[in-house]
Amino acid sequence: MGFQYFAGAALRALTARKDGPSLYDVCDPVLLNYRGGDPHLGKFYKTALGNPALRPLLRRTGLPALNDEGRLQRLRAALTHARDAAEPDWAAVGAPIAELMADIGVEHPQPAKVAATARAPAAAEIERVIRRCGAHLLGSFAKNGFIPTYAAFNLLGDPDMGGREMLMALTGLNARGYKNSTLLFNLARIFIAHSPARALINPPWTGIAEPMWEPVQIRHRSAYYDAFFTEALLSFVETGLASGEEIAASQRAIADMVEFCLKTSAEEVPSHDGSKVRVVTALAPGSGPRFSRFFAQIKQDLGFGIYVPDCDTTACSFSAATQAGSTDPILDQPLLDFYRGYQVREGANEPRVTVPLNDHVDYEGGVVTWIDNLAGERPYGNDLDPTLNLDILEVSFRHLGRWKILETPQRLETVHRIIGFQRKLAESGAFAQPRSHIYYLPELYSAYFGRCHAAFMALPLVARQAIDPDGHFEFIRGKVLAYVEGELITREMNAFDAALALMALAHLGADVATFAPALHCIVAHFGEGGRHGPYKAYEWNKMKTPTRILVGGPEVTSAFVLMGLALARRKMAKR
């Protein structure tokens, strides 16, 4: 898609024939200027929806359904209640919006089947890409003082967020600002879905992971990202393809990122036994995230004023630091004791999942996402993501002896129950459904299962038998490989999809002949990133609320391509 596509979409949006009240006809009388009530709702409306960039694109999009005066007034009354009530009835507020969301028609991508690639690229081509991706990461660190990642908004929203799920979010989230932004973003989705601007805001793409279009990308730093950049640079050094200077630069960057994870981003939180535990938050306090002043204010206006720690960032940070050889005392904490308090037990603490967007999944045994801070704040309520639970298993395997997991029945039981949760997910096939995942996509789950499986297989046989006496890991391995080999690599992929496919195939012991489609895709798309790097930015992870917020970046793609190619190259050398 080039200039002609986007220019045509913009022209059609600016000249559309209006048939019914627009978003601004609905909201301006209620939210543009008012006194009293909740000031954040109006501030959010002006910042995110009523701004000079979006207003011209949507001002001519009307909803015929709102030509019904009674329906229009009920919608305005709901917004007024959200604005003025000290404690709004959020289910009632969201009801007229949920009703209008029935036909927005947002769907997951369905890549077309493609002919199988017969031959893998030459070793020299693979090594050229590895070297370039490693240099890209190191060059970015040298330029910025960290390796940045980016967030971008897709205002059309997530395919898994229908009216029912929007109501779940409104009633399950805690922070009022976050409820406000979820409410209004979902109202805007309805108008965008019926506007020619839809083609501009959500253009089509190749593969599964969504490309991140350049406008409105927010650059920042997070311990979660630093943990995976650490693993990528460790992988680069292990390939033997880095120069002496690059090895030294990698070691300096790794040391800095480990310190950012374990020191800068660490905070103390209460555990469920009354003790205190040091965990890791995704957005460090103060200037740690490296937001510009402009975007720091936007973050506040959008309802992200409080950011609490999470189980996933903590697990990944501990794992990366351990792989890097850190001996920081924070790593001695047996996290499984802490995670046990956030583990769902059927009938006992299932209400811990307050935003059950993937409620077709059996949560029993899974660990939820968000950690209460010392003040007891939980702005996002809580949800449960399968991939996060893989990261908890992976870090537990790396700390099996240090945390005395086999010697401590309670810790071993916690591991058994997480594995049981994953087994049920594989048995049902739910792992391959995008709706099952809160923050990720099925192909990323597959890559992360491969990563987790590799850590499991590195353990002594007696330990593996104690951890998984019923062979659940082998069962899940078969299901994941069948998905990657039978679905993912048989369809159109982008470079990010291909990197994740390679990670899964290589870690799970697939025949090296199956690497060819992913290797071919990666080499064929080399250079697509232009001045930003070897590859474009793609969706690594996402948030479904308050709208679809994608996180990734050119550096992220380079990191995953590097890791995928390094794994594949090692397996191919042993053939």
Side-chain angles (χ1 to χ4, degrees):
M1 288 169 297
F3 173 78
Q4 188 172 359
Y5 171 90
F6 290 103
L11 180 63
R12 288 188 290 274
L14 294 170
T15 59
R17 186 176 68 86
K18 187 177 174 185
D19 184 12
S22 71
L23 174 67
Y24 306 109
D25 294 329
V26 172
C27 295
D28 279 359
V30 180
L31 300 178
L32 196 56
N33 294 295
Y34 62 91
R35 293 184 179 181
D38 176 24
H40 176 264
L41 190 65
K43 180 184 288 188
F44 175 86
Y45 174 64
K46 293 176 185 177
T47 301
L49 305 182
N51 62 72
L54 191 60
R55 188 178 280 266
L57 291 176
L58 294 183
R59 67 183 181 87
R60 298 188 64 83
T61 296
L63 290 185
L66 294 180
N67 284 324
D68 180 335
E69 187 63 25
R71 203 169 186 182
L72 175 61
Q73 291 308 319
R74 285 194 298 275
L75 179 55
R76 281 184 177 151
L79 294 173
T80 302
H81 177 63
R83 182 193 72 187
D84 293 344
E87 295 185 9
D89 179 344
W90 288 102
V93 167
I97 297 174
E99 186 180 328
L100 290 168
M101 290 174 68
D103 63 345
I104 57 175
V106 183
E107 298 179 350
H108 290 287
Q110 297 180 322
K113 285 276 188 178
V114 294
T117 304
R119 184 176 297 179
E125 291 185 275
I126 293 171
E127 292 176 358
R128 176 172 67 101
V129 177
I130 290 174
R131 287 192 176 97
R132 182 67 187 88
C133 288
H136 180 216
L137 296 178
L138 292 174
S140 182
F141 187 90
K143 176 183 176 182
N144 299 294
F146 68 107
I147 303 177
T149 305
Y150 299 81
F153 291 81
N154 182 330
L155 297 181
L156 188 58
D158 194 275
D160 298 319
M161 284 294 294
R164 171 178 173 268
E165 291 75 21
M166 187 266 295
L167 292 174
M168 285 180 180
L170 288 180
T171 55
L173 298 167
N174 287 354
R176 183 161 182 170
Y178 206 62
K179 291 174 184 275
N180 288 342
S181 53
T182 299
L183 176 75
L184 290 185
F185 267 135
N186 278 281
L187 177 59
R189 289 177 68 199
I190 300 164
F191 291 88
I192 293 168
H194 291 87
S195 168
R198 175 178 182 149
L200 189 65
I201 290 169
N202 193 56
W205 67 87
T206 298
I208 299 175
E210 182 176 343
M212 295 174 61
W213 314 106
E214 282 197 42
V216 197
Q217 288 190 6
I218 304 174
R219 190 183 77 158
H220 60 294
R221 183 181 194 181
S222 163
Y224 182 76
Y225 316 145
D226 273 25
F228 278 91
F229 288 134
T230 293
E231 290 194 19
L233 289 179
L234 287 170
S235 179
F236 183 41
V237 172
E238 288 168 3
T239 64
L241 298 175
S243 67
E245 185 178 331
E246 287 173 328
I247 292 172
S250 295
Q251 291 169 341
R252 290 192 297 271
I254 288 167
D256 180 271
M257 291 189 290
V258 168
E259 181 172 354
F260 182 78
C261 290
L262 302 188
K263 301 288 189 187
T264 308
S265 302
E267 64 177 287
E268 196 172 67
V269 299
S271 190
H272 302 278
D273 61 3
S275 64
K276 298 286 194 303
V277 177
R278 288 189 68 74
V279 297
V280 183
T281 188
L283 289 184
S287 60
R290 303 290 188 99
F291 285 116
S292 71
R293 187 175 300 176
F294 172 70
F295 281 125
Q297 184 60 50
I298 286 181
K299 169 179 167 288
Q300 187 84 13
D301 291 345
L302 294 182
F304 290 93
I306 301 169
Y307 213 95
V308 293
D310 65 272
C311 293
D312 209 7
T313 300
T314 302
C316 292
S317 295
F318 276 43
S319 175
T322 299
Q323 292 176 66
S326 174
T327 57
D328 193 295
I330 194 174
L331 301 174
D332 295 330
Q333 300 173 118
L335 281 181
L336 282 172
D337 293 347
F338 177 72
Y339 286 144
R340 185 180 179 87
Y342 284 95
Q343 189 173 41
V344 173
R345 291 184 178 272
E346 188 174 7
N349 68 343
E350 279 194 334
R352 181 174 288 283
V353 182
T354 66
V355 189
L357 301 181
N358 54 351
D359 60 354
H360 64 292
V361 169
D362 183 351
Y363 295 142
E364 207 288 321
V367 176
V368 297
T369 303
W370 300 103
I371 298 171
D372 297 2
N373 63 17
L374 275 179
E377 294 166 312
R378 195 187 304 157
Y380 314 119
N382 232 320
D383 48 50
L384 196 151
D385 186 272
T387 308
L388 177 155
N389 281 264
L390 293 176
D391 292 335
I392 292 173
L393 289 176
E394 194 268 353
V395 74
S396 298
F397 299 155
R398 291 193 180 279
H399 292 82
L400 194 73
R402 175 182 276 173
W403 294 349
K404 295 183 170 26
I405 293 172
L406 298 184
E407 299 86 349
T408 312
Q410 182 173 284
R411 294 171 192 164
L412 186 58
E413 185 206 25
T414 301
V415 170
H416 283 160
R417 291 180 60 235
I418 298 174
I419 295 173
F421 164 75
Q422 299 291 353
R423 166 74 187 233
K424 288 178 291 184
L425 198 74
E427 282 181 336
S428 68
F431 78 93
Q433 301 169 12
R435 181 170 168 247
S436 302
H437 304 275
I438 300 295
Y439 300 106
Y440 305 97
L441 290 170
E443 79 272 28
L444 194 127
Y445 174 91
S446 301
Y448 281 32
F449 176 74
R451 173 176 171 268
C452 180
H453 186 270
F456 173 72
M457 293 303 294
L459 297 173
L461 177 60
V462 65
R464 298 203 303 269
Q465 291 173 334
I467 289 167
D468 185 22
D470 298 317
H472 293 328
F473 259 87
E474 185 58 26
F475 177 84
I476 300 169
R477 173 184 172 274
K479 293 291 187 179
V480 171
L481 269 180
Y483 164 72
V484 176
E485 293 178 348
E487 283 293 320
L488 181 55
I489 64 173
T490 65
R491 298 181 180 273
E492 287 184 330
M493 293 183 287
N494 55 48
F496 197 77
D497 298 333
L500 296 176
L502 271 185
M503 290 178 68
L505 293 169
H507 273 315
L508 297 178
D511 189 319
V512 295
T514 64
F515 298 177
L519 289 170
H520 177 77
C521 176
I522 288 171
V523 171
H525 287 88
F526 181 72
E528 68 176 15
R531 62 187 177 87
H532 298 293
Y535 295 96
K536 295 178 182 177
Y538 294 93
E539 168 191 357
W540 173 14
N541 55 73
K542 64 179 180 293
M543 296 186 74
K544 296 182 178 183
T545 60
T547 189
R548 185 169 165 80
I549 303 175
L550 308 178
V551 174
E555 289 88 352
V556 171
T557 310
S558 286
F560 278 91
V561 166
L562 192 162
M563 289 190 286
L565 290 180
L567 285 167
R569 176 175 175 267
R570 188 187 314 155
K571 296 292 184 181
M572 292 164 74
K574 294 178 180 178
R575 184 169 48 173

